Amino acid sequence: LPQDPMDFEWSYWIEWGRERILWLLAGHLLVSQVSRLLVEKYKPWCLMAYGMAACWLLLGIKGFAVILLHATISFAVAQFQLSLLTWMCSLILLSTLRIPAVEEAKRKWYDTENEYYLLLFTVSVRCLFCTSFSLEYCWHGPAQKSSHSFLWMLAYVFYYPMFHNGPLMNFDEFSKQMRRQEAFSLKTNLTILIVGVIRIFFWWCLAELMIHLMYIHALYSSAPPLEAASYWALGGLALAQVLFFYVKYLVLYGVPALLLQMDGLKPPALPCCVSLMHSFTKMWRSFDVGLHRFLVRYIYVPMGGSQSSLLGTLFSTALTFAFVSYWHGGQSYLWYWGALNWLGVIVENGVKRILSISLIQDLI
């Protein structure tokens, strides 16, 4: 049966995976296992060198230079140890991805649109990694600066399994785990690899079945079927859409998560099944765990979070969702999406506060 081509993200990453990325990830696995076996002490630098070479090969020297420039600027600004200045730098670097003249110049570097999009997606994710490193640098004292050197920043930014699409791991977690030296067992790692590959293959087959049998995205791209459908059918389509999104990210995050395990790191938990969720808050906490940790640590808590006044909580939550919308592209529909999610979280927390009042609990 013909494939539904309307889900751009799935088609895009599967095509790149088959062509080059899976082979480069296999190369990373080989370098990682050899370095763990022979030169455990130098593993971070071996993986950094491999990540830089893979970036150069896939994005070209100009794409490599852009990512290196972003990292260098972020590191230079972090020397002032001012969180606000670091955030301003990060937002300015992120905004350069949306300047039409810059976009056109970058498009001319590549023969195809897909290659340009790979650079765009990669730099967007790298911006989060640069922000994480820079803020951790600002928050740590002089005694800890040795573990926050520019070399460690490059090891973090160019770590290949998370390079193009995530998942996101904050720098403090990455550096602690990467510096930790553990006993290497080839047999244990081989077992992890075999079980992981079987699971990912199962999820990939399930996603391909949905793409070839259900045509969820094709239905969504055409108004007449939606107008003719009953409310029950529309509800079923909406559920099918989010279930496919869940299975898709089991694959897209499952592959790098498996490689992180092989490297001796603990990856962020994979997405929780959307059918088990009944709240906006749980969805944000357990779907993209790495992104959630980033938002909480670097935006929500520093702005006051749940420990501040009601208005402070509303503001810090709004700022968090505003950043998510802007980072995803900043189009108008993303602002609506962010605002509706913010409203859902606020309503849920408001109802929880009301239900926690002793009088209301007695009535219940």
Side-chain angles (χ1 to χ4, degrees), residues 52 55-70 102 104-111 115-116 119-120 122-123 158 163:
M52 295 174 88
C55 172
W56 192 316
L57 179 67
L58 215 53
L59 299 175
I61 187 170
K62 292 179 179 177
F64 171 79
V66 167
I67 294 170
L68 189 60
L69 181 64
H70 276 230
V102 176
E104 285 305 311
K106 289 177 180 176
R107 276 189 167 93
K108 291 175 183 177
W109 297 349
Y110 301 106
D111 297 327
E115 290 175 294
Y116 163 71
L119 174 66
L120 182 66
T122 304
V123 174
F158 284 98
F163 191 67

Side-chain angles (χ1 to χ4, degrees), residues 54 99 138 145 242 244 256:
I99 300 172
C138 292
K145 293 305 179 193
V242 293
F244 177 78

Side-chain angles (χ1 to χ4, degrees), residues 2 24 30 35 52 61 82 85 97 102 122 161 169 187 217 219 235 251 275 283 285-286 316 333-335 352 363:
L24 289 172
L30 181 62
S35 61
M52 295 174 88
I61 187 170
L82 297 171
L85 192 61
L97 302 179
V102 176
T122 304
M169 180 187 282
K187 184 180 179 181
H217 306 91
L219 285 166
V251 177
S275 293
M283 178 66 120
R285 283 179 181 167
S286 56
S316 54
Y333 72 89
L334 288 168
W335 291 112
K352 282 180 184 177
L363 286 172

Side-chain angles (χ1 to χ4, degrees), residues 2-12 210-212 214-223 241 244 248:
Q3 176 180 324
D4 180 353
M6 299 307 293
D7 187 87
F8 169 78
E9 191 175 32
W10 178 256
S11 304
Y12 182 84
M210 295 174 84
I211 282 283
H212 283 84
M214 298 180 72
Y215 303 101
I216 312 155
H217 306 91
L219 285 166
Y220 267 112
S221 66
S222 178
Q241 175 93 339
F244 177 78
K248 173 171 67 177

Side-chain angles (χ1 to χ4, degrees), residues 73-87:
I73 293 171
S74 297
F75 185 79
V77 172
Q79 302 307 302
F80 293 98
Q81 294 187 271
L82 297 171
S83 298
L84 181 60
L85 192 61
T86 293
W87 266 116

Side-chain angles (χ1 to χ4, degrees), residues 259-277:
L259 289 173
L260 261 72
Q261 283 184 284
M262 298 292 290
D263 290 347
L265 308 181
K266 184 181 179 182
L270 291 177
C272 184
C273 180
V274 291
S275 293
L276 301 176
M277 298 180 193

